Amino acid sequence: MPRRGEYRKSFPAPKPRAPEPGRIGIREVIAAEGNGDKAVVSIDPQSFTCTTVAAELADEWLELMTSATFSLGLARGFRRTVVDFCEHVDATVPRAAEASLALGDPDMHFAVTEWLRLLPSRYKTGSREPGWSAGRLRSLIARRIEHPDRKVAGHLNGWVKGALGLRRGQTEELDEFTRADKQKLVRAAWADRLATEARIRSGRALAVSGTDPAEGGWFVPANLLWAIFHGAWSCEEIAERLPRWADMPAALHDLLPADTPMNVGKRRLLRYLVRQLYPHNLDLHSYRILLMAATGRASEEVSALNEDDVEFGPRSVMIDFSKGRARAEMRQAFSVQNTDAVLHPSKPRLDAAEIIQGLLGLTRPLAERAGITPAPLFLKGAISTYSLTIRPFDGCMQQATLVDWMADHDVSVSGLVDIRRLRKSGKVEKAIAFKGRVSDIADDHSVETFHGHYAHGTTLRVIAGNVITAAQRRWFDQALNGPVVLSREAEQSLQEPGAAAALGLSAEDVEQLRAGQLDMGVTGCKNPFDAPYGRPGQLCPVAPTRCLECRNAFILPSNLPQLLLFAAHLDQLQLRLSPAHFHALWGQSRVNVRAAIAARTDAEIALARRQIADDGLTLQLPLASHVEFDS
């Protein structure tokens, strides 16, 4: 799921507030919740026995949150680390009240190493939290070491520069959505997108028909929509001019369900009016799903896009994706589908350009109202108390997560509900399209990232299946492309009608084979000018060394002496080459020649050996082949 703070590039978090008078002892950070409310994260050094150590770490924590872009989750994570370490110091370090990072006694380096040793025992095996927590503490101590006016004693400097001392742990990789689950998600997102655009289009049309509520009346929905959309009246001002929910006129009371609680009726009314004009966090889930399915990119890459990242062309759209975790940027083009072909498609059209244009039409007024340039694609309008807040999409927002969206649209999937599984579904489809070639699948990240995060589950099975199938096809083709061995009876039967045609031979070919006119040395060949190793019309360039692996070859009884000589040559060659080298070059030839010799009777083999000895026969190889054998 997208993490909090990943959109802070365009929307910086509020800066921490300076401590109020009378609260000097408490270090606190004021941050924004996902729904626009404020949250306070604080550290009180006085709550620990090791007051000095807690104050030193709290100071570094507060300055780190002040100097860098941060999220509420990040502030809370560092706070957990400080509290956890200080509790460890209180429980294990003698004279904890005197402990300080600037003093060598008590030894804080020993306290850190003991904390690191015990930290993994409090989490399940393989958890990444111990490594994260140790990294946070090292970041705080490293900041203190770099400060010229703050002393850090002992061996903590060496720990900061050296190894962390803990394994980073590992996460259990998620498998992708099944094809059926992905189709359900995309269909539901498509329907929700159409409903969202119809709702906002209708609401904005109604706002155009309205007028200033100060003149046309505060109880007319069109006038309230006009005031909100044009910014003539703030939502707080509208709330002040509306009566209690119990006294609300029917024109406004009927906009909400009859069971709306009295104490939140006015707030929900404003929320309803804002949703008629602008998308809410739940509405943006459908656009994220559709864009991820259309582009195959990760959730954070899609939801961080702005109008400057998109360049529309006549037949394509160029999108610049940025992945903060990998510090990588990539430009990718997507073709534009023909919008005139089908006015009302029955199936979702995963056209990245059309989806982006529709989303910009919904969110651009929000960006203009907030003065945000360039306009982000994923922007929401919401009511916090009675104020209109304009914020980026938050996939982890309470009561507006992907789980909530799926529950609202009655979508169920097998396994864990996690948007990252949609990205992996795209990876599986790419693995199938590229036949498991990792260099093509890992085109938007490193091969190491692919091996660590994507090469498992269905993707691994696809790659393994393609490798096995390719190997089987190679050996199967080699087995089928070998020569045809004819016995004396089979050679004589070639004269019968239909026998030669079954082997792809004409009557002329049969006569030439029997007369030796097509003898290539080790075997006969039905067409030396149509070899699989050369160009059409060219005399076979690899005969006779590769004849035993060729589909054009015919082994006749008269070829047996040369087969025996060729087998002897291969046996000698095997003694001079490494096993791997010999097997790669001549392994299949040796298998075929042994099979051809084994098809002859012992009497035929003995007769062939006497013929070799009596006539002084030698292996008929061209000079180039002798050079290859002798090298």
Side-chain angles (χ1 to χ4, degrees), residues 465-482 533 546 548-551 579-589 591-592:
N466 281 307
V467 171
I468 293 173
T469 302
Q472 289 176 338
R473 184 182 301 113
R474 174 174 175 267
W475 291 108
F476 187 68
D477 290 344
Q478 286 185 351
L480 292 182
N481 288 339
Y533 303 102
R546 296 298 175 192
L548 288 164
E549 302 174 34
C550 181
R551 61 177 180 267
H581 191 192
F582 176 82
H583 180 75
L585 295 178
W586 303 105
Q588 190 62 46
S589 293
V591 170
N592 291 351

Side-chain angles (χ1 to χ4, degrees), residues 19-30:
E20 299 177 4
R23 302 184 66 186
I24 297 299
I26 298 179
R27 280 69 166 170
E28 67 178 20
V29 169
I30 309 298

Side-chain angles (χ1 to χ4, degrees), residues 362-376:
L362 301 183
T363 59
R364 193 188 297 276
L366 284 172
E368 294 174 352
R369 181 166 186 160
I372 304 172
T373 54

